[in-house]
Amino acid sequence: MADPAPLYLSPERLEQLQRITDAIRLRAALYPPPKPPRPRRRTRQYPGGRPTSWRSAHRIMLRRQG
């Protein structure tokens, strides 16, 4: 674990640091870090912003696999 506290800290300061570390540990236990967002899949679109139909998208996916 961590090294013992240096002797030059006053007892008040040492108690304050211990309270802060306890609060940090509690916060880390209660609020885990959020998961990163999944990467978005790029879809081809027709000119003008219309999305491709599911049939042509399926055909493109089959072509990539085989």
Side-chain angles (χ1 to χ4, degrees), residues 19-31:
R19 277 188 277 135
I20 290 172
T21 54
D22 290 342
I24 289 172
R25 287 189 186 116
L26 180 63
R27 182 173 184 261
L30 292 177
Y31 304 104

Side-chain angles (χ1 to χ4, degrees), residues 32-40:
K35 294 180 181 176
R38 290 186 174 187
R40 293 186 181 182

Side-chain angles (χ1 to χ4, degrees), residues 12-60:
E12 295 85 16
R13 181 69 175 152
L14 187 61
E15 183 181 340
Q16 182 185 18
L17 289 174
Q18 287 173 343
R19 277 188 277 135
I20 290 172
T21 54
D22 290 342
I24 289 172
R25 287 189 186 116
L26 180 63
R27 182 173 184 261
L30 292 177
Y31 304 104
K35 294 180 181 176
R38 290 186 174 187
R40 293 186 181 182
R41 298 181 77 176
R42 292 183 178 229
T43 57
R44 290 191 178 174
Q45 289 188 341
Y46 291 116
R50 287 185 301 135
T52 55
S53 69
W54 66 271
R55 287 189 181 119
S56 62
H58 185 69
R59 214 176 313 129
I60 292 170

